[in-house]
Amino acid sequence: MADTTVRFKPEMAEKFGVNAAIVAQLIWEKITEEGGERHVHIKEFRVWFRCSQLLMSGYLGCMSKDQVRRAVKILVENSILKKGCLNEDRFDHTNWYSFTPYGEQLMKRGIAKEEGEILC
């Protein structure tokens, strides 16, 4: 059985829920990590992360696609994330995610808390 360590900002979890905080942390880490250029693109003066919700659930291990979808919806509705489809291929509907200035401000505050093991 594989162990998964997740990180999130406690303030984000208090305001928007643990799942939303975990998804926000995943996207933040993918956008800011070195060597993550494969899924990151700069467009419209923003850094965007391209990822399906199914793939996000795979990264997280313990969250289903529906849980990720609901978490993303919360983050978009609360102006933490912007969601768009910036693909050149009109048949590719994979979403792209970028933090709003408000979302960036929240993510830059404090240090993410490590929540040990979550067994899936």
Side-chain angles (χ1 to χ4, degrees):
M1 185 178 250
D3 294 339
T4 303
T5 301
V6 296
R7 293 194 295 194
F8 61 89
K9 303 217 179 267
E11 308 83 37
M12 293 283 290
E14 288 173 16
K15 287 183 181 181
F16 310 109
V18 173
N19 286 351
I22 291 170
V23 169
Q25 188 67 36
L26 170 71
I27 295 171
W28 181 256
E29 288 176 2
K30 294 296 181 181
I31 285 175
T32 59
E33 79 180 0
E34 289 186 32
E37 299 87 16
R38 193 175 82 160
H39 296 287
V40 175
H41 188 69
I42 298 175
K43 196 166 194 158
E44 301 173 0
F45 305 105
R46 297 181 171 280
V47 178
W48 293 84
F49 171 62
R50 178 183 189 270
C51 190
S52 70
Q53 293 172 356
L54 182 61
L55 185 57
M56 275 193 239
S57 70
Y59 280 130
L60 296 170
C62 295
M63 289 176 66
S64 69
K65 180 183 171 188
D66 287 336
Q67 289 173 311
V68 170
R69 182 183 49 76
R70 285 189 294 272
V72 167
K73 182 179 179 188
I74 289 168
L75 294 168
V76 170
E77 287 176 350
N78 286 282
S79 300
I80 308 300
L81 287 179
K82 285 187 71 104
K83 179 174 142 181
C85 188
L86 307 175
N87 302 305
E88 293 178 9
D89 181 354
R90 67 184 180 129
F91 297 107
D92 184 354
H93 298 288
T94 305
N95 287 311
W96 293 70
Y97 304 93
S98 178
F99 283 91
T100 64
Y102 172 61
E104 284 183 26
Q105 180 185 5
L106 290 175
M107 294 308 293
K108 288 179 181 176
R109 272 194 226 156
I111 296 173
K113 177 180 181 183
E114 233 178 71
E115 280 301 304
E117 297 178 351
I118 294 182
L119 300 177
C120 300

